[in-house]
Amino acid sequence: MRITVEQGDITRVQTDAICLGIFQGVQRPGGAAGAVDKALGGALSEILTDGDFLCKKGEVFWLRTHGKIAAKRVLLVGLGPAEKFSADVVREISAAAARAAKNLSELTTIAHGAGIGGLEPHTAAQATVEGTLLGLYRFEKFKKPEEPIKLERLRIIEHSAEKLEQLKLGAQRGQIIAESVCFARDLANEPGQSLTPRELARRAQEFAQDLGLRCEVFDENALERLGMGGILSVGKGSNEPPRFIVLEYNLTKNSRPIVLVGKGITFDSGGISIKPREGMEAMKYDMSGAAAVIGTMRAIALLKLPISAVGLIAAAENLPSGKALKPGDVIKISNNKTVEVTNTDAEGRLVLADALVYAQRYNPQAVIDLATLTGACTIALGKEAAGLFSNDETLAQKIQRAAQQSGERVWPLPIYDEYKELIKSEIADIKNSTNKGPQAGAAIGAIFLQEFVSYPWAHLDIAGVAYDVESRLYHAKGATGYGVRLLVELLQSWQ
């Protein structure tokens, strides 16, 4: 989509439609909506007074202008209550507006919130663009589009020249971030049939070459040399070999990067501890952590952020076969710690263990892993937040601030020492799950991972938020791309 920011009078812009946001309870609009209302002889005020349009969040209302202003139509979109207004509301209402206008060729809008909404101009523009692009997202690789989207151009109009540069900066940033989220969504939505560990590695190499990132891919022979028994053991039940992918951005000899680690199980049947049939098709999303890391690396490269960052992706298929990892087996992670495997469906923590050990070689400032790790986290938090576990309070607070700014929520959960008792093994250093029943499932996954870190670290359990989140207007059915906006916000504000 072509996106422009222009100075001008919203009532004089020739366009298919102008989009205006109005808060719930308002009967006489102000700002840009007030100017349009005056030009239309009070038509907006009349609609609001009569209750034809209640301004609920994401509600839309069309009206024709009959030549009274240059635009052919006005698209009103409800902002909801003023006291609940935020940048994430801007994303949601921008998505609703874009979907309503999808059959037009051009939509002209204000940067919602940059005026009476109280947002900084760059924040308002970024959120407006993000919501527009995320709201129009569709995954149509394997189907003919039922109704093609015609909307090709978004114009942001601002009356004040003083805000123009900030709006342009925010719009540009919003487009890069939203397109990177969509890039991650595409990866996560693709079936395991066509997105195998080798194909995921190939695509990582392809985009890294395009953007000037260094990319190295370790095949099964290299994994053997590195002693990555976690990744190898999970992948050995499949005919598709595992891969370990390393992406490096702006790395110098003396830099201490932030390392992002993604779980890349391209399909998860549960292995020998096989999952129930119902819903197993959704296990193509078990590489959503890897998709988020790839999307984030894409975004920070295009944004040219002044940081050093590394993305590590442990990719494998978890399938049952005569070669597959069995419950009761003992494997060795690359730091020589042994693990008794009591549940082959707790495989994500095994591949992440090798990646977390590998991260140590970078002497990182911090390491953050993202994984669709446990159904228990979804039970605890539903689909409204990722579980945040960390051994470093400063890092955890940075992530929480970034979550608030990005709209991708996290909720801190504990890693008590007592949880270690639940993964004690009689025959190995630790075991990968507990036989004490369904207690503290998300925390047990985190306490296992903590055994393999020696640096400031945070674990984000994104099982609930990675796909099919219907409570956000900018989400389509399927992958959400969760984590890209959060991590980009974290990295661009890193100090």
Side-chain angles (χ1 to χ4, degrees):
M1 178 180 285
R2 185 183 173 202
I3 298 171
T4 59
V5 177
E6 307 165 27
Q7 185 183 8
D9 182 342
I10 195 81
T11 65
R12 298 183 179 183
V13 177
Q14 290 189 338
T15 184
D16 291 338
I18 55 174
C19 177
L20 302 167
I22 301 179
F23 285 112
Q24 205 165 340
V26 168
Q27 292 191 337
R28 287 191 174 277
V36 172
D37 185 39
K38 182 178 179 182
L40 294 180
L44 304 192
S45 295
E46 185 178 355
I47 290 165
L48 296 170
T49 302
D50 290 347
D52 296 334
F53 177 55
L54 300 178
C55 306
K56 295 178 181 178
K57 184 178 71 174
E59 180 187 2
V60 296
F61 189 97
W62 286 102
L63 68 153
R64 289 277 182 172
T65 64
H66 302 293
K68 294 180 180 179
I69 61 174
K72 295 178 181 178
R73 309 168 185 85
V74 173
L75 172 59
L76 302 179
V77 59
L79 301 179
E83 64 271 17
K84 294 185 177 181
F85 186 70
S86 68
D88 209 47
V89 169
V90 175
R91 292 183 191 94
E92 292 202 75
I93 63 98
S94 297
R99 287 173 182 157
K102 66 181 183 297
N103 290 323
L104 306 179
S105 61
E106 178 182 279
L107 178 65
T108 299
T109 185
I110 59 171
H112 301 290
I116 58 177
L119 298 179
E120 292 292 332
H122 64 89
T123 300
Q126 179 177 333
T128 299
V129 171
E130 285 178 358
T132 299
L133 296 180
L134 296 179
L136 292 175
Y137 173 83
R138 293 176 178 176
F139 184 71
E140 296 175 330
K141 183 173 182 177
F142 298 100
K143 64 180 289 188
K144 183 179 180 180
E146 296 175 4
E147 185 183 5
I149 292 173
K150 299 177 182 177
L151 192 59
E152 297 177 342
R153 186 181 182 195
L154 179 72
R155 297 169 69 185
I156 297 176
I157 297 296
E158 171 55 47
H159 188 267
S160 170
E162 294 177 1
K163 296 180 181 178
L164 215 58
E165 285 307 309
Q166 285 296 305
L167 290 171
K168 288 179 179 179
L169 179 64
Q172 181 185 37
R173 183 181 298 161
Q175 183 165 11
I176 289 171
I177 293 171
E179 288 174 351
S180 297
V181 173
C182 293
F183 189 83
R185 287 178 175 181
D186 282 346
L187 290 173
N189 278 325
E190 188 149 349
Q193 152 195 30
S194 53
L195 190 70
T196 62
R198 286 185 293 182
E199 177 62 13
L200 182 62
R202 188 195 68 77
R203 294 191 195 181
Q205 288 176 311
E206 184 177 71
F207 103 87
Q209 185 175 13
D210 290 343
L211 296 180
L213 278 70
R214 180 180 178 273
C215 180
E216 187 172 7
V217 175
F218 297 93
D219 63 14
E220 58 270 40
N221 294 323
L223 294 176
E224 288 279 4
R225 290 194 297 272
L226 289 168
M228 290 187 166
I231 300 174
L232 286 166
S233 64
V234 171
K236 70 180 184 177
S238 172
N239 290 332
E240 280 289 338
R243 290 291 183 265
F244 184 61
I245 305 162
V246 178
L247 294 163
E248 296 177 349
Y249 167 74
N250 199 29
L251 213 59
T252 61
K253 184 177 179 180
N254 298 319
S255 59
R256 296 187 62 207
I258 295 97
V259 178
L260 310 176
V261 179
K263 174 187 171 185
I265 303 298
T266 56
F267 188 80
D268 179 23
S269 71
I272 297 297
S273 306
I274 198 162
K275 295 177 181 290
R277 174 181 63 83
E278 292 80 9
M280 196 191 287
E281 71 279 359
M283 289 302 98
K284 67 179 183 178
Y285 298 119
D286 212 21
M287 45 68 66
S288 294
V293 170
I294 291 174
T296 301
M297 296 298 289
R298 177 189 185 276
I300 64 174
L302 288 169
L303 290 169
K304 297 180 172 58
L305 296 189
I307 56 162
S308 297
V310 174
L312 304 178
I313 295 156
E317 281 186 344
N318 186 26
L319 295 177
S321 74
K323 304 180 297 179
L325 181 68
K326 301 177 291 296
D329 285 354
V330 175
I331 66 171
K332 185 183 289 187
I333 305 300
S334 47
N335 65 345
N336 292 321
K337 186 164 289 192
T338 57
V339 179
E340 178 189 4
V341 178
T342 59
N343 179 2
T344 67
D345 194 24
E347 85 298 329
R349 62 201 68 179
L350 300 178
V351 302
L352 287 173
D354 277 327
L356 291 170
V357 172
Y358 190 89
Q360 176 60 46
R361 66 185 57 203
Y362 290 100
N363 188 25
Q365 292 187 59
V367 176
I368 303 153
D369 76 72
L370 297 89
T372 47
L373 206 70
T374 68
C377 196
T378 307
I379 293 170
L381 300 175
K383 289 188 163 290
E384 300 309 317
L388 166 62
F389 301 85
S390 183
N391 65 358
D392 187 275
E393 185 59 30
T394 300
L395 175 60
Q397 289 175 359
K398 286 182 178 180
I399 293 172
Q400 287 174 283
R401 285 195 296 271
Q404 189 172 17
Q405 291 295 318
S406 67
E408 294 197 314
R409 292 173 176 160
V410 300
W411 191 260
L413 294 170
I415 316 178
Y416 297 133
D417 287 341
E418 287 80 359
Y419 293 140
K420 293 180 182 178
E421 296 295 316
L422 299 175
I423 58 170
K424 278 190 173 180
S425 170
E426 302 265 333
I427 63 171
D429 294 325
I430 53 174
K431 57 188 178 184
N432 76 326
S433 66
T434 181
N435 57 2
K436 300 291 186 181
Q439 55 176 302
I444 288 169
I447 206 77
F448 178 91
L449 295 176
Q450 192 178 33
E451 292 290 311
F452 302 92
V453 304
S454 55
Y455 36 67
W457 158 78
H459 161 59
L460 293 173
D461 192 330
I462 65 171
V465 294
Y467 61 95
D468 290 353
V469 178
E470 298 176 359
S471 57
R472 300 292 184 279
L473 296 176
Y474 48 75
H475 286 161
K477 183 75 173 175
T480 62
Y482 178 96
V484 176
R485 298 198 329 261
L486 169 65
L487 292 175
V488 172
E489 178 64 34
L490 175 69
L491 295 175
Q492 69 185 7
S493 61
W494 190 269
Q495 291 180 353

